[in-house]
Amino acid sequence: MIPLKAPLLLLSFFLLEFSLPLPAKPASGFETEFLNQLNRVRSEEKLPLLLLDPTLQAFSQEWSSHLAQEQKQVHRSSSSLIEFIKKHSYSYASENLHSSPQGNDPSFVLQRWMNSPIHRKNLLHPKLTHIGITTTQGKEGAWYVVWNGAVKN
C-alpha cells in the first residue's frame, strides 16, 4: 500500500507540471530546412550563422497565424516591433513576409526573398544572431510565412 503522502505529492507535481507555460514547439522540417539553407548563403557571404530562437519563433507564429486567419499580408506596426525588442532584450529586429501556395517550400521562399533587395538585406544583416520563421496555411490554401531576425543583447 502506498502512503497517502505519495499520491498527494504526485498530484501536486502533476498540477504544477501542467500549470507552467508550455515550451516552444520543436522546429518543423520547414523551419530547420530554411535555417540550413539561409546559413549556407550566409556562410558563402562570410557572415555569422544564425540560430532559431524560441521567443522569435513564438513571435513569428503569432503573426503568421493572424495573417492566415485574416487572409492578408501586412507587416506589424513599428511600435509593435519596438515594444517586442524592449521587452525581450534585443537591440534590433526585422521582419520579412511571404504568402503563396508554395509558401511551405523553404527553397522557394528563400529564393523569393533573396531576389528582393530589401528582404535580402534583412536576411544578410551582418549583426543578426537569431531568427524565428514560421508558416501557417490559410483557409484559402495559401501559406503565410513570417521571418523575424534579431540581434540579441
Side-chain angles (χ1 to χ4, degrees), residues 5 9 17 36 39 48 53 67 78 95 103 107 119 126 131 152:
K5 287 183 182 179
L9 272 173
E17 188 72 22
N36 290 340
N39 275 335
D53 180 275
L67 297 177
S78 52
E95 179 175 81
S107 300
H119 294 100
I131 68 165
K152 218 170 196 179

Side-chain angles (χ1 to χ4, degrees), residues 134-149:
T134 57
T135 183
T136 304
Q137 190 171 29
K139 293 177 278 196
E140 81 291 1
W143 290 87
Y144 294 84
V145 183
V146 175
W147 175 92
N148 289 107

Side-chain angles (χ1 to χ4, degrees), residues 12-22:
S12 296
F13 174 76
F14 179 80
L15 291 173
L16 175 63
E17 188 72 22
F18 290 98
S19 65
L20 297 174
L22 294 174

Side-chain angles (χ1 to χ4, degrees), residues 38 42 48-57 59-60 81 84-86 88-96 121-133 147-153:
L38 177 56
R42 288 181 63 88
L49 302 183
L50 303 172
L51 299 171
L52 282 177
D53 180 275
T55 303
L56 288 168
Q57 282 294 102
F59 190 60
S60 296
L81 279 175
F84 175 80
I85 289 169
K86 288 179 181 177
H88 296 286
S89 301
Y90 296 105
S91 60
Y92 169 85
S94 59
E95 179 175 81
N96 285 352
K121 183 180 175 185
N122 286 343
L123 295 170
L124 299 181
H125 188 290
K127 293 186 180 181
L128 279 186
T129 57
H130 293 79
I131 68 165
I133 182 158
W147 175 92
N148 289 107
V151 176
K152 218 170 196 179
N153 289 335

Side-chain angles (χ1 to χ4, degrees), residues 100-114:
S100 75
Q102 298 86 11
N104 64 336
D105 178 348
S107 300
F108 180 82
V109 174
L110 181 60
Q111 190 59 50
R112 297 290 292 231
W113 283 338
M114 291 302 289

